[in-house]
Amino acid sequence: MAPVDYYKILEITKNASEADIKKAYRKLARKYHPDLNPNDKVAEKNFKEINEANEVLSNSENRKKYDTYGEHWQNAEAYEQEKKRQQEYQSSSQSTASGYSQEDFSDVFENMFGSKSSRRRTSAKFRGQDYNSELKLNLKQVYKSQKQVITVNGKNIRITIPAGVENGQIIKIKGHGGKGINNGPNGDLYIQFSIINNTKFKRDHNNLYLTVALDLYTALLGGELMVDTFDGKVKLTITPETQNSSKVKLKGKGFPIYRKEGQFGDLFITYNIKIPIKLNEKERELIKELQKQR
């Protein structure tokens, strides 16, 4: 079986930049995504391969190891440790009359990686590769906890998304990364959330902010006003002579606090007083009379 070539899988050259890798991955991911190729085993296989290639090449440290050790890049640390041991043994051999022989060193190397006759018995265990994934959601979707199925490296994973997740936040799903080598532990899956706010509310952590229009007469005389919150409407009492840009706080009407069931931030309302336009003659006379009174 030919060695895996991640550059060939992503259809890029070895001197490709990070931007080139990202662009190539997105193009191929769209092409082979399971949702666009239902029941297509070839597309499923290609989708899995490009995800694996991207996980390695998009990480600068992993890419460096891959460029040096190829398909054995996950064993890079072990190789480096063995190389260091070899140098130490050689140095010791040169400085003492009875150093390690070539046979002695061969035994050490075989104990580390396993000889042909004892590889199964002595092979070292290595932790699987960590995977990284991005999940895009809108703000309403993270107002309540929900379960969702995501596809990572061709595998469907059911996760619970706690209410209150923030844009850019990363959570770890233990054991859902790459498979370990020689019965080593699996890697982990890291999911970064991209939260799209398509509402009229502005979010700042657990607090929400909203600007509402208030007519001049209610601002002057006081009254009641129905305003939207994230989960319904509430009635506010407007005090007489309310000024433009005045703010009120609705305690507990903000966004859920992450992993604190039943706890919410606050909603801050800012009043934007609207000046009436297209006045008729009678209205103008009344305002002029009010002006004289003032």
Side-chain angles (χ1 to χ4, degrees):
M1 183 181 293
V4 63
D5 187 337
Y6 290 144
Y7 291 101
K8 185 176 181 180
I9 290 173
L10 290 182
E11 301 176 3
I12 55 178
T13 62
K14 285 192 174 183
N15 59 356
S17 65
E18 290 183 8
D20 293 334
I21 294 172
K22 189 174 184 179
K23 182 179 179 181
Y25 168 70
R26 287 182 173 177
K27 174 184 175 183
L28 293 172
R30 285 194 296 268
K31 181 178 179 181
Y32 295 114
H33 197 282
D35 291 346
L36 301 178
N37 301 274
N39 303 318
D40 188 334
K41 296 298 182 182
V42 175
E44 183 180 343
K45 178 176 178 292
N46 290 336
F47 186 73
K48 183 176 181 180
E49 288 178 347
I50 62 174
N51 272 281
E52 182 179 329
N54 180 63
E55 292 292 343
V56 175
L57 298 184
S58 62
N59 183 298
S60 59
E61 288 298 320
N62 289 343
R63 183 181 181 183
K64 183 178 178 181
K65 293 175 184 178
Y66 176 74
D67 288 343
T68 303
Y69 297 102
E71 62 181 323
H72 302 295
W73 68 273
Q74 288 180 313
N75 295 332
E77 292 183 7
Y79 289 142
E80 291 295 333
Q81 290 174 4
E82 192 56 36
K83 188 185 296 183
K84 184 178 180 181
R85 288 194 186 98
Q86 180 182 8
Q87 293 171 347
E88 290 175 351
Y89 287 135
Q90 289 175 342
S91 175
S92 176
S93 178
Q94 292 173 359
S95 60
T96 62
S98 56
Y100 284 92
S101 67
Q102 183 63 36
E103 292 180 356
D104 293 328
F105 175 71
S106 297
D107 290 339
V108 173
F109 189 85
E110 288 178 359
N111 285 335
M112 181 65 189
F113 297 103
S115 65
K116 291 182 179 179
S117 62
S118 60
R119 186 175 300 275
R120 289 184 181 178
R121 178 166 51 86
T122 59
S123 292
K125 295 181 180 181
F126 295 97
R127 183 177 180 276
Q129 176 187 351
D130 289 336
Y131 289 160
N132 296 281
S133 181
E134 181 184 48
L135 183 57
K136 292 185 178 181
L137 300 169
N138 61 53
L139 193 61
K140 289 184 178 180
Q141 287 178 297
V142 295
Y143 185 74
K144 295 182 178 180
S145 297
Q146 60 165 295
K147 295 185 182 297
Q148 191 165 129
V149 176
I150 63 173
T151 301
V152 177
N153 211 24
K155 180 181 178 181
N156 291 333
I157 301 173
R158 186 175 180 84
I159 64 172
T160 298
I161 304 172
V165 167
E166 294 203 41
N167 183 50
Q169 184 173 341
I170 298 174
I171 65 173
K172 180 176 77 171
I173 311 297
K174 188 173 179 60
H176 282 282
K179 187 175 180 59
I181 299 175
N182 298 327
N183 294 321
N186 291 346
D188 300 323
L189 169 62
Y190 291 86
I191 301 176
Q192 182 171 19
F193 291 91
S194 177
I195 310 299
I196 301 168
N197 186 356
N198 50 8
T199 73
K200 59 185 178 181
F201 297 88
K202 178 184 176 183
R203 180 189 183 188
D204 183 10
H205 299 296
N206 305 316
N207 294 327
L208 294 175
Y209 296 83
L210 180 66
T211 298
V212 299
L214 180 63
D215 68 89
L216 177 64
Y217 311 110
T218 304
L220 289 171
L221 302 175
E224 294 180 339
L225 179 69
M226 295 295 296
V227 299
D228 291 320
T229 69
F230 212 85
D231 62 350
K233 291 181 178 291
V234 297
K235 183 186 292 185
L236 297 183
T237 299
I238 310 299
T239 58
E241 301 178 10
T242 293
Q243 299 298 303
N244 188 49
S245 298
S246 296
K247 293 181 174 61
V248 294
K249 180 176 76 172
L250 303 185
K251 188 172 180 61
K253 286 295 182 179
F255 217 71
I257 300 177
Y258 182 70
R259 291 196 178 282
K260 292 187 177 181
E261 189 72 25
Q263 296 187 38
F264 294 78
D266 302 322
L267 169 61
F268 294 85
I269 301 288
T270 299
Y271 294 125
N272 182 20
I273 297 177
K274 294 295 185 181
I275 303 298
I277 60 175
K278 297 182 180 180
L279 301 174
N280 59 39
E281 191 60 34
K282 179 64 174 177
E283 289 173 325
R284 289 181 182 276
E285 290 177 3
L286 291 172
I287 292 175
K288 287 180 180 179
E289 182 62 29
L290 177 62
Q291 184 182 36
K292 291 178 182 178
Q293 292 295 324
R294 298 292 291 180

